[in-house]
Amino acid sequence: LLQAPGFFMDPRLLRAGLRPVRIGTPLRMIEFRAGDWRGVSGPVTPAATDMARAWESAQAVSVHAGADETTGPAVTVTLDGGSAIVFEFIDRSGQPELQRRDLGLRYVLDHALARELGLLEMTTETVPAERAVH
């Protein structure tokens, strides 16, 4: 065995076929109503539909076995049928992670995905202005 146990774990945050109907992060709450994703609270960026799609397809950069004593704010994904998946959002020395205590797993995310999932504030990327040629 040349790989750590996390190498063999599924990096998807949500298993294929699961249908989220409500997603709550420390920054934002969205829910599926009348055929559309809508923001319930928090900032309007990312759009609720984009945030939901990001959750449905999100994959961690890496997965580590063993939840630890580090705790963070709850992130709850309520599924069609009423069950829920609860993560904890952790900033581990600048690296965003979602921890699932029920499975004993830690999902390491990149910053772009964490923003798409509504876990980090969106940033405005400024493009340097081109120098005027005289």
Side-chain angles (χ1 to χ4, degrees), residues 13-69:
L13 299 182
L14 302 178
R15 199 176 63 230
L18 294 180
R19 295 180 31 150
V21 294
R22 186 176 182 99
I23 301 168
T25 73
L27 298 176
R28 180 119 195 254
M29 173 99 42
I30 63 172
E31 65 183 16
F32 192 74
R33 286 186 287 176
D36 281 323
W37 281 98
R38 300 169 188 213
V40 175
S41 67
V44 296
T45 303
T49 302
D50 293 340
M51 184 173 150
R53 284 186 188 137
W55 272 96
E56 290 169 350
S57 64
Q59 291 193 28
V61 173
S62 62
V63 182
H64 300 275
D68 61 23
E69 70 283 346

Side-chain angles (χ1 to χ4, degrees), residues 5-122:
F7 176 82
F8 299 99
M9 293 178 206
D10 189 352
R12 292 178 297 180
L13 299 182
L14 302 178
R15 199 176 63 230
L18 294 180
R19 295 180 31 150
V21 294
R22 186 176 182 99
I23 301 168
T25 73
L27 298 176
R28 180 119 195 254
M29 173 99 42
I30 63 172
E31 65 183 16
F32 192 74
R33 286 186 287 176
D36 281 323
W37 281 98
R38 300 169 188 213
V40 175
S41 67
V44 296
T45 303
T49 302
D50 293 340
M51 184 173 150
R53 284 186 188 137
W55 272 96
E56 290 169 350
S57 64
Q59 291 193 28
V61 173
S62 62
V63 182
H64 300 275
D68 61 23
E69 70 283 346
T70 307
T71 61
V75 174
T76 305
V77 179
T78 305
L79 304 172
D80 189 29
S83 62
I85 298 171
V86 179
F87 297 91
E88 287 178 57
F89 178 59
I90 297 168
D91 180 333
R92 192 177 304 278
S93 301
Q95 182 67 58
E97 286 187 4
L98 285 171
Q99 183 165 248
R100 273 196 66 179
R101 289 194 182 279
D102 61 328
L103 299 179
L105 297 175
R106 295 185 349 252
Y107 297 90
V108 178
L109 309 175
D110 65 35
H111 287 87
L113 178 58
R115 283 190 287 279
E116 291 173 17
L117 298 176
L119 299 168
L120 295 175
E121 295 281 349
M122 294 300 270

